[in-house]
């Protein structure tokens, strides 16, 4: 395992022998490798490069890596890179509860939140499994009381609406999961408020009744500026509608926090406080008490299945040899494209409307984790890190940015996600078959393209010919699930967590801090005070001074 004291011994990725080997392979053949020709020369390519993940409930997800720009030699060199970069050592240190987030001196232990086997898992000498399970049992009891109508508001009416107030991981995770699992929704409506723009809160409050609304305030420290500002405004609205009786707050507000003093000061009964530890990073917090809105929406049993799906991927990632390790392969392919093909982006396109917020969730997971320049050796990397992740649901995306993916000058590696079974098989499964035909066709078209001869054979002549040529050989990974169940969604999220982990381990960066979000917050506090005065501002650059002055005049 890896102690935080040994991080300086981790080399820059570019110093590893396999990095140089990969660069030579790219120069010699990688940049010219034809996936079409690879399929022609190896009839078993699909069988070799597709991997099936079996979830805890027996359901399956197929990951097809065969349309990627690799051959056996390149894959072997990528596996060697993972070994030289000590990916498995860092993985084992994370699962052992070591402080691999060394810049904040914290363990990275969100994996303990989905430890449904309740095996012993230690941080700083303490087995955290009982505490995690205790919070989950509290969430179960509370969610079942609210969903059944046993929990009553101040007028004796049952709760009908839940408003989750958070930001970052305290918002993106629950929003995405509740949308993705909407098919499993119960009697409650859920609403999410994150933006400090007052419009976000105002629009949510327009559609709820104070007598039947439960507010969840999601802030570990209960001091997050945006969240607490929104929470106080929600409390003011609630009190103004209910006769200004502070006693009613306890029936309509709960806290997802660890700061008991601030929670009590706000007026929330600390019995309705759901905690989580400092080793839970924000972008990994949906597995924690932050997922209470999910449990309320889909029921605790489904939330538990969601956790177990991720737990099954944890088991796969820790126990499967590197050559067959599905998330590790996904991460290695990302490094191959980012660092050797100079691809700057990563497209994730779910062919599933329920997953419409999945790419947005992955943006935080990927870009907040690996948008770093300094390495664990405290020097700056001399290679690219952190892909720009983007995406929208297909088939909508096919009619917007897929043009660039097919015929643009940039290489854009893409992941396509589809469930074989729809939750809404209307018109005799017509819609699902059309969706699937696009899923298969887009990946095939990106690979095979269309050459000049094929264009001419279609009858195209003259200057129009170049416009109808598709270069092809554009890489895709196809992810085919049987159905997007809570367990399948948990597995998919965990897959991308470990793709991100693998990238960061190879790039030798700390994927678990986020210092880059701090500077703007600090400056915003300074400017916030300046906005409260009528004085002319002159303490910034001329652009910022001018913008602040104009804002004050117009406000």
């Amino acid at each position: 395992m890896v102690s935080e004291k040994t991080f300086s011994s981790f080399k820059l990725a570019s110093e590893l022998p396999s990095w140089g080997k990969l660069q030579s392979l790219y120069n010699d053949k990688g940049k010219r490798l034809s996936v079409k020709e690879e399929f022609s020369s190896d009839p078993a390519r699909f069988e070799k490069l597709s991997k099936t993940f079996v979830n805890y409930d027996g359901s399956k997800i197929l990951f097809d890596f065969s349309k990627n720009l690799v051959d056996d030699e390149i894959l072997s060199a990528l596996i060697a890179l993972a070994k030289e970069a000590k990916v498995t050592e860092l993985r084992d240190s994370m699962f052992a509860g070591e402080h691999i987030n060394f810049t904040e001196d914290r363990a990275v232990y969100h994996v303990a939140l989905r430890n449904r086997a309740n095996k012993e898992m230690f941080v700083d000498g303490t087995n955290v499994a009982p505490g995690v399970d205790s919070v989950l049992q509290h969430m179960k009891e509370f969610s079942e009381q609210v969903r059944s109508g046993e929990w009553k508001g101040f007028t004796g009416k049952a709760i009908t609406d839940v408003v989750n107030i958070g930001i970052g991981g305290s918002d993106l995770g629950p929003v995405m999961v509740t949308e993705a699992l909407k098919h499993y929704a119960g009697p409650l409506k859920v609403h999410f408020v994150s933006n400090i723009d007052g419009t976000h809160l105002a629009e949510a409050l327009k559609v709820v009744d104070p007598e039947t609304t439960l507010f969840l305030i999601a802030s570990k420290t209960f001091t997050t500026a945006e969240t607490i500002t929104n929470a106080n405004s929600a409390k003011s609205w609630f009190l103004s509608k209910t006769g200004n009786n502070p006693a009613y707050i306890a029936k309509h507000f709960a806290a997802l926090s660890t700061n008991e003093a601030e929670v009590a000061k706000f007026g929330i009964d600390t019995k309705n406080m759901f905690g989580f530890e400092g080793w839970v990073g924000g972008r990994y917090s949906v597995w924690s008490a932050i997922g209470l809105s999910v449990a309320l929406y889909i029921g605790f049993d489904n939330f538990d299945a969601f956790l177990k799906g991720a737990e099954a991927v944890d088991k796969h990632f820790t126990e499967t040899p590197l050559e067959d390790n599905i998330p590790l392969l996904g991460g290695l392919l990302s490094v191959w494209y980012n660092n050797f093909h100079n691809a700057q982006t990563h497209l994730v396109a779910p062919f599933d409307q329920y997953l419409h917020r999945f790419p947005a969730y992955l943006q935080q997971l990927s870009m907040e984790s690996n948008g770093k320049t300094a390495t664990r050796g405290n020097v700056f990397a001399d290679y690219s890190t952190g892909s720009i992740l983007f995406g929208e649901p297909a088939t909508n995306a096919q009619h917007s940015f897929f043009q660039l993916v097919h015929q643009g000058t940039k290489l854009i590696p893409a992941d396509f996600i589809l469930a074989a079974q729809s939750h809404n098989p209307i018109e005799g499964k017509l819609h699902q078959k059309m969706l699937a035909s696009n899923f298969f066709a887009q990946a095939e078209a990106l690979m095979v393209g269309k050459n000049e001869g094929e264009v001419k054979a279609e009858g195209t002549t003259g200057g129009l010919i170049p416009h109808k040529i598709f270069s092809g050989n554009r890489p895709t990974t196809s992810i085919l699930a049987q159905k997007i169940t809570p367990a399948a969604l948990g597995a998919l999220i965990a897959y991308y967590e470990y793709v991100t982990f693998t990238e960061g381990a190879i790039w030798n960066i700390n994927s678990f801090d986020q210092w880059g979000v701090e500077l703007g917050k600090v400056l915003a506090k300074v400017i916030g005070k300046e906005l409260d005065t009528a004085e002319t501002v002159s303490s910034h650059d001329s652009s910022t001074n001018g913008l602040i002055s104009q804002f004050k005049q117009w406000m």
Side-chain angles (χ1 to χ4, degrees), residues 531 535-538 542-555:
L531 294 178
E535 297 175 8
T536 300
V537 175
S538 59
S542 60
S543 170
T544 305
N545 289 335
L547 288 166
I548 292 173
S549 297
Q550 188 65 78
F551 174 82
K552 284 186 171 186
Q553 291 178 28
W554 286 350
M555 185 177 67

Side-chain angles (χ1 to χ4, degrees), residues 162-172 174-175 178 190-208 213-219 224-235 237 256 293:
V162 176
V163 178
N164 188 92
I165 299 178
I167 199 167
S170 300
D171 173 78
L172 282 167
V175 168
T178 53
V190 292
H191 315 268
F192 294 89
V193 174
S194 57
N195 201 329
I196 196 61
D197 182 346
T199 299
H200 206 184
L201 179 63
E203 289 295 329
L205 296 179
K206 282 180 182 178
V207 296
V208 298
T213 298
L214 174 69
F215 293 91
L216 305 180
I217 313 305
S219 172
T224 308
E226 299 93 339
T227 298
I228 299 308
T229 299
N230 278 327
N232 281 318
S233 296
K235 182 171 76 170
W237 172 86
L256 316 180
S293 58

Side-chain angles (χ1 to χ4, degrees), residues 489-551:
L489 181 66
L492 283 173
I493 296 171
Y495 164 77
Y496 280 102
E497 285 181 354
Y498 291 127
V499 167
T500 303
F501 177 94
T502 299
E503 293 170 335
I506 288 172
W507 291 326
N508 194 23
I509 56 179
N510 180 7
S511 298
F512 306 105
D513 59 12
Q514 52 280 330
W515 298 105
V517 304
E518 298 300 322
L519 179 58
K521 289 182 179 180
V522 172
L523 294 179
K525 289 180 180 178
V526 173
I527 294 173
K529 293 177 181 178
E530 293 172 338
L531 294 178
D532 288 335
T533 72
E535 297 175 8
T536 300
V537 175
S538 59
S539 57
H540 307 278
D541 61 273
S542 60
S543 170
T544 305
N545 289 335
L547 288 166
I548 292 173
S549 297
Q550 188 65 78
F551 174 82

